[in-house]
Amino acid sequence: TVSQRQAQWNATGDIITFGKVQLPMPSVCSLIHNEYVLARQLLAKDLMFGVESRVTSNSALLWDDMELSVPYKSWTHVLRNQDIFRDADIQLSYHVLSDVKLRKRFGPVAMLGEDRGDTAQMELQHEIYEQKVQMFLKHLAVVVHLSAGQPLREPELLSIMWQNSPNERRHIWIQYGKVMIRTFYHKGQQHSGTSKENVRFLPSPVGNLVLDFIAYVQPFRQFLLHQRHPTALLSSHLWSYADGKQ
């Protein structure tokens, strides 16, 4: 069926109108840029504590293995990437434990002894860090949604997994030197019982932002989560809280 309310372009193709809303294309470009800048600043300063200036991802130098199906693995575990991302999973935790101020905020209580500071304050710092992660993910979601061509539908976007789960393969891959999002949802799936492959390639700056988050921040979130819940694992879904909620 064709909806009675349709989005329409103006004669010059630079303004789209839907109902009473007009959206100039330059405004979309400005939105994407601003959200990217905010996400990058949050990642560098608040989530990676300045380590980002020394270790940054470059999708053009990385490889992937489309056959890798081991649960809780991603492109960071591909053998050909090991030299580039050696110790990436402990990069931030090592940095934190090497810095007195950061250690008092995030270090394991059992390891710090008399230097551990106030436990309640430390737990508060963990919560603040997770809040900043969520702020980063909100900015990142806008950039990913709008910068890779035709936007994914909501179920596709929100279902993106950054690592394999026990029952499903991840949706973030590296192909042709770019970060690729590969989902398998379409609007007729519930009726036909089959899905179609939807593929989007992220612009390099956006893709590298995603890679940095996966390679460095996600292991550190697991490090913090382990202090509170020793057997808990981060969700494989990209847009989720540390406790697994989406």
Side-chain angles (χ1 to χ4, degrees), residues 4-244:
Q4 295 181 354
R5 300 186 64 191
Q6 297 290 311
Q8 297 180 336
W9 292 96
N10 68 342
T12 57
D14 59 357
I15 298 177
I16 189 170
T17 301
F18 182 77
K20 296 181 179 180
V21 177
Q22 288 190 335
L23 184 61
M25 287 301 100
S27 297
V28 176
C29 295
S30 178
L31 172 64
I32 295 173
H33 173 74
N34 292 339
E35 293 294 306
Y36 170 81
V37 169
L38 290 171
R40 172 55 76 185
Q41 290 174 344
L42 271 170
L43 181 74
K45 179 181 178 181
D46 296 308
L47 303 186
M48 294 184 66
F49 313 115
V51 173
E52 184 265 357
S53 62
R54 303 196 302 270
V55 289
T56 54
S57 305
N58 184 347
S59 59
L61 302 177
L62 300 175
W63 302 85
D64 212 335
D65 181 359
M66 301 295 283
E67 301 301 320
L68 181 63
S69 59
V70 180
Y72 310 115
K73 301 295 184 181
S74 71
W75 55 270
T76 60
H77 298 91
V78 173
L79 184 61
R80 298 179 73 175
N81 295 331
Q82 291 304 300
D83 286 341
I84 298 176
F85 286 98
R86 191 179 305 277
D87 298 330
D89 57 334
I90 62 172
Q91 185 76 235
L92 291 185
S93 57
Y94 179 81
H95 178 71
V96 162
L97 296 177
S98 302
D99 183 283
V100 174
K101 292 183 179 179
L102 291 175
R103 187 168 66 239
K104 287 185 176 181
R105 291 170 58 192
F106 300 108
V109 172
M111 183 178 182
L112 299 179
E114 296 301 324
D115 194 37
R116 66 183 177 81
D118 181 72
T119 302
Q121 181 63 26
M122 187 182 297
E123 292 178 351
L124 176 61
Q125 291 299 320
H126 289 194
E127 293 178 5
I128 292 174
Y129 184 87
E130 182 61 26
Q131 289 172 4
K132 291 179 178 178
V133 168
Q134 296 308 314
M135 290 173 60
F136 167 81
L137 289 174
K138 288 180 180 179
H139 294 306
L140 183 65
V142 174
V143 179
V144 169
H145 190 50
L146 297 178
S147 68
Q150 181 178 345
L152 294 170
R153 295 184 178 89
E154 180 183 359
E156 295 171 287
L157 179 68
L158 298 182
S159 68
I160 292 175
M161 298 197 323
W162 63 277
Q163 66 176 4
N164 296 333
S165 74
N167 302 312
E168 188 176 355
R169 290 190 182 184
R170 58 196 157 101
H171 302 114
I172 296 178
W173 303 83
I174 300 172
Q175 290 291 302
Y176 312 113
K178 297 281 190 179
V179 173
M180 178 181 76
I181 296 177
R182 181 178 181 229
T183 63
F184 295 90
Y185 176 89
H186 73 102
K187 61 182 180 181
Q189 181 175 353
Q190 59 182 340
H191 301 296
S192 65
T194 60
S195 61
K196 294 181 180 179
E197 184 181 72
N198 284 330
V199 173
R200 302 289 188 274
F201 285 91
L202 298 177
S204 293
V206 178
N208 292 337
L209 195 67
V210 173
L211 298 185
D212 280 345
F213 179 76
I214 293 173
Y216 299 104
V217 176
Q218 292 292 65
F220 185 66
R221 291 176 79 200
Q222 181 63 61
F223 169 76
L224 297 181
L225 180 62
H226 181 76
Q227 294 181 43
R228 303 190 303 275
H229 308 287
T231 61
L233 295 173
L234 282 179
S235 170
S236 294
H237 287 90
L238 181 62
W239 321 111
S240 63
Y241 291 88
D243 60 7

